[in-house]
Amino acid sequence: GDNGFSVEDFWIFRIAAHRDGVHGEGVAGISGDAINGAFSVVASGCSMDKDQGNVLLYTESGAEETTSKAPETEKKGTKALLRSVETKQPIRVIRGAGHRHGAPSCGYRYDGLYKAAESTAKENTKGGKYF
């Protein structure tokens, strides 16, 4: 859930968002586990992500560079998001500066609870598969 955070709560540094508990990882973009699903994601400028405001297409880490013939399913964050598709539990979304649609001009902003609706395998420009 929102854990007491309000939409538009703001942190100048990502580590401060981690310290305050809005995002459980200091560096990784996905916080969660394979059992409970994702608790939060930070959208902060991956060129493969698509952000339409109320819809966020979030890609796994390494999606731009992978040459794998099958999407990665063993990374902690990927497992968490795949589990969230099953559980439909809400995920906190934090947008970072430099990200597209409505992102803050600096720092990190909590933008509310979203649901992971589906998981789709895609192919990058190197022929690698990713979620």
Side-chain angles (χ1 to χ4, degrees):
D2 63 16
N3 286 0
F5 296 102
S6 298
V7 171
E8 297 196 14
D9 281 351
F10 178 83
W11 297 265
I12 192 70
F13 298 112
R14 184 170 170 163
I15 196 68
H18 172 65
R19 175 202 64 211
D20 291 350
V22 73
H23 186 62
E25 301 289 337
V27 176
I30 304 167
S31 176
D33 59 54
I35 295 169
N36 299 297
F39 305 119
S40 59
V41 297
V42 174
S44 60
C46 174
S47 65
M48 307 279 293
D49 292 347
K50 305 289 185 240
D51 192 344
Q52 301 160 348
N54 62 343
V55 174
L56 176 63
L57 303 177
Y58 194 91
T59 56
E60 65 180 313
S61 65
E64 295 173 284
E65 300 300 320
T66 188
T67 56
S68 176
K69 298 301 176 200
E72 173 65 60
T73 58
E74 294 304 312
K75 292 179 183 173
K76 179 183 173 191
T78 302
K79 285 181 177 182
L81 279 179
L82 290 172
R83 179 70 177 137
S84 290
V85 171
E86 297 170 0
T87 67
K88 303 293 186 213
Q89 291 296 314
I91 302 166
R92 289 186 300 276
V93 171
I94 299 97
R95 282 189 175 84
H99 195 62
R100 293 168 252 342
H101 191 280
S105 59
C106 66
Y108 295 86
R109 183 186 64 224
Y110 172 58
D111 278 352
L113 297 172
Y114 288 54
K115 289 189 179 177
E118 64 182 73
S119 169
T120 306
K122 304 261 185 177
E123 186 173 307
N124 65 19
T125 58
K126 297 179 179 187
K129 305 281 193 218
Y130 66 92
F131 284 121

